[in-house]
């Protein structure tokens, strides 16, 4: 595996940046705790409803951090020197994205562990929930790769804001089902609402695989397309 | 795709051209570097040396022209090119947050070199570069020269067939510079090396052949001796005289069209210079000749002659 050393270097780079780690793991946790403290009778604030949303919020942070560091690296002379090695675009993509997967997994575990303290209950299959979140994580990391390869460090925050708003109003935060109307129509076109509704259904109503397969196919379909675009973005950046 | 005719040629470029919008950075450069040859590209700042190297390393797409490295075309077979080359870029290019070992493994691993080989070669290079003692430290804490040495070692660790060194000894102390020179000497014959440098004595001592480029074009090509021989008889007459005036130089030019002003007086190409003629011109103008002597033409003189520019240093 020619990309192993690149993966290792980027992995160290990620774990030796305490500030961005604190942001990507700490901020969602803080959010969860604050929202739990403000908790009212509203069902939406129940841990089971909240935890997947907070996890997705964490993934959006992770996407931002991945996009920023790829964008920064891309302008470095080290990156152009790596472009003179026989590494292929797919190996670059692996080397830059793989280190974020463990961060995403830890994020989700920490968030769910804290939500458990607040009384989180999973009526359905925990494995299914984990699978949904994993696909989500892959999707957001790949999105980060696309953003990081196409935009400069100054542009990345704006693109991040757009994705964040899409995620929030697309169902990660606002309950598009209950608002309905244009929010629901727009939200349904994006993967975020589908991911969230699948996770919430499994957790609160004990829905099984076949019950959420519609939402899941949206999520998986989007993820495949986004990963494909990430590879294209890497290929485009191989020669100026 | 290596045919018999290409076997002896490691790098070849024909009419290689790079435009940045309207600006022409490299203008139809031809290049033929033999296998095992150490070839130097010389030129003033902005001449187009780095741009040429970037095109040969597949980092920049040529606007026009073709180039190939070990028979692999840079446009159609970049992966083939990349598998046989290594580049030590002009700027220091290292991963700051990891150790020197990690940096070397990164390059070796990206070339698919196994761990044991990578470790052995890295050890030797760290030794040569005087970095062994601090090889486990994050390189962020290194001095500028140490980073530079590591950056060069990262190009050597893959033992490439063709090595591009863009100003390798820039910013190094004399001791490190000598270490790198002797390492390059050892590679000569085995590895094809394309070197750019601003140290003319470096090119003179190391290079088999030199190509001088100026304002995006080739102005000369030859062995160091051929280039030096291109100036009259390989000698320069130096006349030191304080208070030289433009008017005096103009008058000297009547007899010696190639006269050049220097900081301390004038220089005239060739050894057959009549000092009395010169004094006849200078004395009436109140300029006293303090000394005059002859020296061997250096690459500096050739460079100045061809480009009208003095290299820094
Ligand atoms: N990205 C770019 N956009 C526009 N012009 C560029 C770019 N890169 C280089 N140039 C221009 O191309 C010309 C050649 O640059 P190059 O870096 O090849 O010079 P060089 O011979 O390596 O000089 P030096 O000795 O200073 O390293 C310069 O005039 C430079 O300003
Ligand atoms: Mg240069």
């Amino acid at each position: 595996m020619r990309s192993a050393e690149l993966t290792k270097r980027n992995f160290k780079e990620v774990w030796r940046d305490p500030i961005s780690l604190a942001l990507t793991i700490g901020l969602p946790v803080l959010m969860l705790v604050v929202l739990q403290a403000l908790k009212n009778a509203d069902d939406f604030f129940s841990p089971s409803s909240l935890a997947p949303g907070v996890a997705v919020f964490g993934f959006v942070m992770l996407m931002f951090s991945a996009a920023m560091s790829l964008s920064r690296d891309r302008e470095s002379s080290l990156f152009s020197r790596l472009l003179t090695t026989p590494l292929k675009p797919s190996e670059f993509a692996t080397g830059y994205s793989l280190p974020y997967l463990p961060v995403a997994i830890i994020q989700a575990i920490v968030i769910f562990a804290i939500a458990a303290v607040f009384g989180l209950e999973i009526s359905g299959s925990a494995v299914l929930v984990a699978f949904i979140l994993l696909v989500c994580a892959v999707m957001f990391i790949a999105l980060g790769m696309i953003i990081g390869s196409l935009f400069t460090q100054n542009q990345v925050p704006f693109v991040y804001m757009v994705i964040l708003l899409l995620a929030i109003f697309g169902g990660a935060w606002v309950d598009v089902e209950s608002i309905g109307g244009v929010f629901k129509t727009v939200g349904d076109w994006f993967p975020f609402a589908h991911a969230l509704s699948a996770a919430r259904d499994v957790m609160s109503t004990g829905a099984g695989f076949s019950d959420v397969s519609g939402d899941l196919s949206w999520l998986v379909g989007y993820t495949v397309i986004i990963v494909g675009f990430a590879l294209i973005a890497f290929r485009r950046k191989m020669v100026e | 795709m290596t045919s018999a005719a290409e076997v002896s040629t490691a790098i070849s470029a024909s009419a290689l051209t790079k435009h940045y919008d309207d600006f022409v950075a490299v203008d139809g450069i031809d290049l033929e570097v033999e296998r095992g040859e150490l070839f130097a590209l010389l030129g003033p700042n902005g001449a187009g040396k780095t741009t040429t190297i970037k095109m040969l390393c597949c980092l920049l797409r040529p606007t026009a022209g073709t180039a190939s490295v070990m028979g692999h075309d840079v446009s159609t077979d970049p992966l083939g090119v990349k598998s046989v080359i290594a580049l030590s870029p002009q700027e220091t290019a290292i991963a700051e947050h990891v150790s020197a070992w990690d940096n070397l493994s990164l390059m070796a691993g990206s070339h698919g070199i196994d761990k044991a080989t990578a470790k052995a070669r890295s050890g030797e290079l760290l030794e040569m570069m005087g970095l062994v003692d601090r090889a486990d430290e994050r390189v962020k804490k290194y001095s500028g020269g140490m980073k530079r040495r590591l950056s060069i070692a990262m190009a050597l660790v893959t033992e490439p067939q063709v090595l591009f060194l863009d100003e390798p000894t820039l910013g190094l102390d004399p001791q490190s510079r000598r270490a790198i020179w002797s390492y390059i000497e050892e590679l000569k014959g085995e590895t094809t090396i394309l070197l750019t440098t601003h140290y003319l004595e470096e090119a003179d001592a190391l290079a088999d052949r030199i190509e001088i480029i100026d304002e995006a074009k080739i102005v000369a090509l030859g062995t160091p001796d051929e280039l030096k021989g291109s100036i009259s008889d390989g000698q320069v007459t130096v006349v030191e005289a304080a208070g030289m005036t433009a008017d005096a130089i103009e008058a000297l030019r009547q007899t010696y069209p190639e006269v050049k002003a220097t900081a301390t007086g004038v220089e005239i190409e060739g050894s057959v210079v009549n000092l009395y003629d010169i004094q006849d011109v200078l004395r009436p103008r109140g300029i006293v000749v303090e000394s005059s002597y002859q020296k061997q033409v250096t690459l500096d003189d050739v460079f100045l002659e061809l480009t009208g520019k003095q290299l820094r240093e």
Side-chain angles (χ1 to χ4, degrees):
Chain A
M1 268 307 274
R2 276 190 309 215
S3 59
E5 289 296 331
L6 181 60
T7 310
K8 215 165 94 185
R9 175 261 172 174
N10 288 333
F11 187 81
K12 288 185 180 174
E13 212 60 55
V14 171
W15 288 97
R16 288 174 183 181
D17 187 356
I19 294 175
S20 75
L21 272 186
L23 281 178
T24 45
I25 299 179
L27 226 52
V29 167
L30 186 71
M31 188 173 199
L32 180 65
V33 172
V34 169
L35 286 172
Q36 281 306 306
L38 297 174
K39 188 167 161 181
N40 53 21
D42 192 341
D43 194 37
F44 186 66
F45 280 93
S46 77
S48 314
S49 189
L50 212 49
V54 173
V56 166
F57 172 72
F59 296 160
V60 179
M61 296 285 306
L62 194 62
M63 171 200 82
F64 173 68
S65 143
M68 277 306 270
S69 68
L70 175 59
S71 182
R72 183 175 350 104
D73 237 40
R74 214 159 43 73
E75 282 156 35
S76 73
S77 45
L78 177 76
F79 192 82
S80 80
R81 133 171 261 166
L82 286 171
L83 289 180
T84 69
T85 70
L87 284 178
K88 296 195 189 77
S90 57
E91 293 169 320
F92 268 96
T94 317
Y96 274 92
S97 48
L98 220 51
Y100 290 102
L101 211 50
V103 183
I105 292 170
I106 291 174
Q107 266 183 330
I109 291 175
V110 170
I111 289 163
F112 275 72
I114 292 174
V117 173
F118 290 112
L120 169 96
E121 274 168 37
I122 301 179
S123 346
S125 150
V127 174
L128 191 51
V129 176
F131 173 74
I132 294 168
L133 288 177
L134 192 67
V135 177
C136 252
V138 170
M139 178 180 74
F140 279 105
I141 292 169
L143 261 179
M145 294 295 116
I146 296 176
I147 299 168
S149 11
L150 301 182
F151 297 94
T152 67
Q153 282 184 77
N154 294 334
Q155 297 163 340
V156 168
F158 293 102
V159 185
Y160 158 72
M161 287 304 291
V162 172
I163 305 274
L164 184 63
L165 289 175
L166 272 180
I168 290 176
F169 291 105
W173 215 241
V174 176
D175 188 359
V176 285
E177 298 288 334
S178 63
I179 297 180
V182 72
F183 277 107
K184 173 151 171 51
T185 320
V186 174
D188 274 348
W189 282 103
F190 290 94
F192 316 111
H194 294 287
L196 264 299
S197 101
R200 284 177 183 146
D201 287 351
V202 177
M203 288 175 58
S204 46
T205 68
F209 185 82
S210 54
D211 303 315
V212 294
S213 61
D215 282 330
L216 262 185
S217 24
W218 273 91
L219 177 62
V220 172
Y222 255 102
T223 304
V224 169
I225 291 168
I226 288 169
V227 168
F229 270 112
L231 285 172
I232 293 170
F234 266 96
R235 180 154 295 133
R236 264 197 48 185
K237 287 293 158 185
M238 297 307 271
V239 176
E240 275 173 68
Chain B
M1 216 194 55
T2 326
S3 77
E6 288 166 334
V7 166
S8 67
T9 309
I11 307 172
S12 81
S14 133
L16 200 59
T17 302
K18 181 69 194 179
H19 292 198
Y20 288 111
D21 300 323
D22 286 342
F23 181 78
V24 184
V26 173
D27 192 3
I29 278 187
D30 295 322
L31 202 63
E32 286 288 327
V33 180
E34 303 288 300
R35 266 192 197 209
E37 189 177 21
L38 199 161
F39 193 93
L41 274 183
L42 287 183
N45 290 145
K49 305 180 293 295
T50 300
T51 307
T52 303
I53 286 188
K54 282 188 173 167
M55 286 190 282
L56 295 173
C57 292
C58 311
L59 288 176
L60 277 179
R61 205 167 270 137
T63 312
T66 56
S68 66
V69 180
M70 297 308 265
H72 304 284
D73 189 284
V74 295
S75 306
T76 58
D77 184 16
L79 228 47
V81 174
K82 291 172 180 187
S83 61
V84 296
I85 64 163
L87 163 68
S88 170
Q90 182 167 2
E91 340 77 84
T92 302
I94 54 176
E96 297 266 348
H97 300 282
V98 296
S99 71
W101 283 108
D102 290 342
N103 269 280
L104 293 166
S105 320
L106 174 59
M107 296 315 292
S110 301
H111 274 268
I113 294 168
D114 67 274
K115 276 201 159 83
T117 312
K119 190 151 192 274
R121 287 184 193 167
S122 304
E124 283 170 30
L125 286 167
L126 289 168
E127 182 79 47
M128 196 243 326
M129 295 292 182
L131 295 171
V132 183
D133 295 344
R134 305 187 53 183
D136 292 317
E137 248 175 71
R138 290 188 202 178
V139 302
K140 198 181 167 184
K141 296 184 204 156
Y142 282 13
S143 76
M146 293 168 70
K147 289 180 182 175
R148 189 85 206 123
R149 280 180 261 158
L150 173 62
S151 181
I152 298 164
M154 286 163 75
L156 305 176
V157 72
T158 57
E159 297 192 348
Q161 295 178 38
V162 179
L163 180 59
F164 294 91
L165 298 171
D166 200 352
E167 298 192 35
T169 53
L170 186 75
L172 291 185
D173 59 30
Q175 192 192 336
S176 316
R177 198 179 299 165
R178 266 196 300 276
I180 287 166
W181 287 0
S182 68
Y183 193 87
I184 292 175
E185 286 265 282
E186 272 175 44
L187 292 178
K188 243 168 101 164
E190 287 288 313
T191 308
T192 308
I193 302 174
L194 185 72
L195 170 98
T196 78
T197 178
H198 282 112
Y199 299 108
L200 291 169
E201 70 277 29
E202 183 169 294
D204 199 353
L206 294 174
D208 298 313
R209 284 192 301 155
I210 296 174
E211 189 160 272
I212 298 183
I213 55 179
D214 186 29
E215 289 173 9
K217 288 197 172 74
I218 298 170
V219 294
L221 168 68
T223 64
D225 286 337
E226 283 168 2
L227 290 176
K228 285 183 276 187
S230 70
I231 292 194
S232 61
D233 52 3
Q235 300 280 317
V236 177
T237 303
V238 181
V239 179
E240 293 187 341
M244 193 63 74
T245 62
D247 164 60
I249 290 169
E250 210 38 60
L252 287 172
R253 187 155 290 143
Q254 306 299 317
T255 331
Y256 302 104
E258 298 290 333
V259 67
K260 273 192 217 70
T262 64
T264 53
V266 293
E267 281 186 11
I268 299 165
E269 277 177 22
S271 52
V272 261
V273 171
N274 188 336
L275 202 60
Y276 295 111
D277 284 352
I278 291 175
Q279 282 179 331
D280 284 348
V281 173
L282 297 184
R283 203 176 290 125
R285 292 175 167 82
I287 302 166
V288 182
V289 173
E290 286 146 10
S291 71
S292 78
Y293 56 91
Q294 281 170 3
K295 65 166 195 188
Q296 289 272 321
V297 168
T298 62
L299 277 181
D300 286 278
D301 302 313
V302 179
F303 198 83
L304 185 62
E305 167 82 15
L306 291 170
T307 67
K309 298 177 186 98
Q310 198 109 43
L311 275 188
R312 56 188 169 76
E313 253 107 21

